[in-house]
Amino acid sequence: AAPADPQEATDHIAKLGGVGSRRIRARYTCDPGYKPVSDCFCVRFSPDDQYVAASFANGAINIYNADTGKQEFVLNNVEGKDGLSTPLPTTQLRWRPHTVQSKTKSVLISVNAEFDGQILHWHVKSGKCLHTITEKGNQLFCLDYFSDGSQFATAGRDRLVRVYDEATKREIQTLQGGDLKETAGHSNRVFSLKYHPHHPHILLSGGWDNTVQVWDTRRGHSVRSLWNCYLCGDSVDFTSDGSQILTGSWRTENALQMWDFGAGDINLAETVEWKSASSASTCMLFAAQCSKDAESSMVLAGGSQENEAKFFMRPPNGRDLQPFGALVNLPKPVFSVDFAPSSRMAAIGSADGLVRVLDIL
């Protein structure tokens, strides 16, 4: 791997927004040096802001020092090992939340798109795979932990959402279908999954069927749906207080949207105007996320067509998001974005195989 380049991303930064708004600055760019270039499918900061993990199309997971960009560990790297067929992509990563229950810190969970999809628990510092769960016949595209680390959920090709107990690693529930009146579950692949920040029984999932489903584990099926959201990546999120949902759709119009998540219906709060920094056309989104501060004061989204990632300020009322910075004219699409838990950095993973980390000032 090449040493982290502090300058590479500077050429792509566009400053947006008015006086007094936040801005972004290039911190470093990580190049794992894979030949051929391997797309970066997921980037994730660790809960303590110490590491940034990146997963790649060749199955490898690289762990970088979040402060310096220096590569610290590589997991699951089978390059150059004789007799191994090419592994399928590591599609998504999540760090296990640091909580009272978990004695071991630096545990990372990954899923892959093998034909029998695997959920792998990694101990980052030793490089050991602690546990493997296989979902027969299901390619896995997404997973998420509940905030206390007690359970996690997975989803992928077979349209079901499976909930696992972290302590026993056993599947405790399969969520499928709807109430047959208002909701029907998913009818196509699922690419994005997110737990409610405070309620472990509520999950969101979205994918190719133009819906986001709201699941309730107490009922075992979908209880509400958002329509006309075309999700092709990790692009559904809750605000930190659970009051709004963010969706990023892979389309040229109405791609970035905020929804009010109340007791009754879920109503569209705002379609965020993209207005590309570099051209009039918009970005088709693969990734969208709210910042992890209590106010969810920022939103970051990125994708293809314009190959850019854009930062927005989210006002306290959750309306009228304003852009304040962007990475533009990247050579390939943005596949993954992540805010650091401190909200002072963000990472952007791209199909060009690079991980660009920015300071938020």
Side-chain angles (χ1 to χ4, degrees), residues 41 92 191-192 208 230-236 248-251 255 283-288 301-305 307-308 332-337 349 351:
F41 280 143
Q92 220 170 83
F191 285 101
S192 195
W208 273 356
Y230 186 58
L231 273 57
C232 296
D234 195 359
S235 58
V236 67
S249 292
W250 193 71
R251 60 187 179 210
C283 201
M284 299 171 72
L285 299 178
F286 283 119
S304 66
Q305 185 154 314
N307 297 349
E308 60 185 31
K332 292 273 184 77
V334 169
F335 280 157
S336 181
V337 299

Side-chain angles (χ1 to χ4, degrees), residues 31 54 78 125 146-147 169 190 241 247 257 286 295 303 314:
D31 180 358
V78 298
K125 292 180 180 175
F146 181 58
S147 56
K169 311 288 191 283
V190 180
D241 62 3
T247 58
Q257 296 179 308
F286 283 119
E295 296 78 35
R314 179 180 165 270

Side-chain angles (χ1 to χ4, degrees), residues 272-330:
V272 182
E273 201 171 336
W274 189 268
K275 276 200 290 213
S276 166
S278 50
S279 82
S281 65
T282 187
C283 201
M284 299 171 72
L285 299 178
F286 283 119
Q289 193 186 81
C290 301
S291 59
K292 299 174 175 93
D293 53 316
E295 296 78 35
S296 294
S297 60
M298 294 175 284
V299 163
L300 171 57
S304 66
Q305 185 154 314
E306 284 303 300
N307 297 349
E308 60 185 31
K310 189 172 289 188
F311 292 78
F312 297 85
M313 293 298 298
R314 179 180 165 270
N317 66 358
R319 299 287 192 279
D320 195 25
L321 275 70
Q322 295 295 330
F324 69 88
L327 269 189
V328 299
N329 302 321
L330 295 170

Side-chain angles (χ1 to χ4, degrees), residues 14-27:
K15 185 173 181 344
L16 311 168
V19 181
S21 79
R22 291 185 172 169
R23 58 192 179 89
I24 54 172
R25 177 179 69 196
R27 189 174 180 95

